[in-house]
Amino acid sequence: MTDGLARLSVIAPAPVESRQKDWDEVEHAIGWELPADYKELVRRYGGSNWDDYLYVLEPGCPNHHYDLLVWARNQAEDLEDLWEFEKKPVELEAEGAQVVPWAVTDNGECLYWLVVPGVPPERWTVMVNEARGGRWEHFAVSCTRFLADTLDGELRSDILSSSFPLTTHDVRRL
């Protein structure tokens, strides 16, 4: 278990029943191998809402609005259109670099993995994009570390809502 997952288990204990996925099928559909910590996050928590604000996407989520595969496909198309009008973040200027969504917020911000050719999924980092603007933030941590660090106040984003996280944490499966 990664440090981020261990801390999440203390911050907000996972439901007893885990969710199983055919990760080979998911990764074939999305076109990338996904980070092991994300797979474990989904196994333990599923697609989930954190502090009534942040939604972790899940492939095949029971709430289809938070299906990782749908978001990945739609965001790839939307971002290609966006780059025609907005400047790409410097992290995406490297040959073949791209972002893949793993979480969204109720305000419309999107949290992505930064995927760079030759960098294994276990070293993917997090990028946050504001909902209605061109601001991006880059955090050199995994998705579970980002979530744990944000929930316990060690990490602050200037893009995410100032009312996130809550003082008493709440996690719900979708």
Side-chain angles (χ1 to χ4, degrees):
M1 179 185 315
T2 66
D3 176 57
L5 280 167
R7 289 179 39 229
L8 285 175
S9 296
V10 172
I11 292 168
V16 174
E17 184 181 313
S18 64
R19 288 200 175 149
Q20 301 303 316
K21 299 287 174 191
D22 181 342
W23 288 108
D24 290 335
E25 184 179 308
V26 168
E27 291 170 337
H28 177 74
I30 200 168
W32 299 281
E33 180 182 345
L34 295 169
D37 70 322
Y38 168 77
K39 294 178 197 177
E40 185 62 17
L41 176 67
V42 168
R43 187 184 74 74
R44 290 171 181 238
Y45 294 93
S48 45
N49 174 272
W50 295 78
D51 287 357
D52 205 29
Y53 174 71
L54 187 140
Y55 296 83
V56 172
L57 303 174
E58 173 187 2
C61 186
N63 182 330
H64 68 277
H65 296 291
Y66 301 101
D67 187 310
L68 175 76
L69 299 173
V70 172
W71 271 89
R73 181 180 61 248
N74 292 343
Q75 287 300 105
E77 293 170 6
D78 291 348
L79 288 174
E80 282 307 311
D81 292 340
L82 181 67
W83 302 144
E84 293 179 23
F85 305 101
E86 286 187 13
K87 185 174 177 348
K88 279 186 181 183
V90 66
E91 294 86 356
L92 294 178
E93 291 177 1
E95 180 74 29
Q98 55 190 307
V99 288
V100 176
W102 65 270
V104 297
T105 72
D106 65 356
N107 289 340
E109 292 88 11
C110 196
L111 290 76
Y112 298 92
W113 287 294
L114 174 59
V115 179
V116 178
V119 175
E122 306 324 311
R123 294 187 44 223
W124 289 358
T125 56
V126 172
M127 293 193 68
V128 179
N129 178 226
E130 73 179 327
R132 289 166 281 287
R135 285 190 313 147
W136 288 78
E137 293 175 324
H138 180 237
F139 299 93
V141 295
S142 70
C143 66
T144 55
R145 178 75 183 263
F146 178 89
L147 187 54
D149 285 358
T150 302
L151 290 171
D152 70 13
E154 286 187 33
L155 185 144
R156 287 297 300 171
S157 164
D158 291 331
I159 292 175
L160 299 180
S161 173
S162 60
S163 61
F164 177 74
L166 299 175
T167 306
T168 302
H169 302 298
D170 179 45
V171 61
R172 295 183 321 272
R173 275 197 174 160
L174 303 172

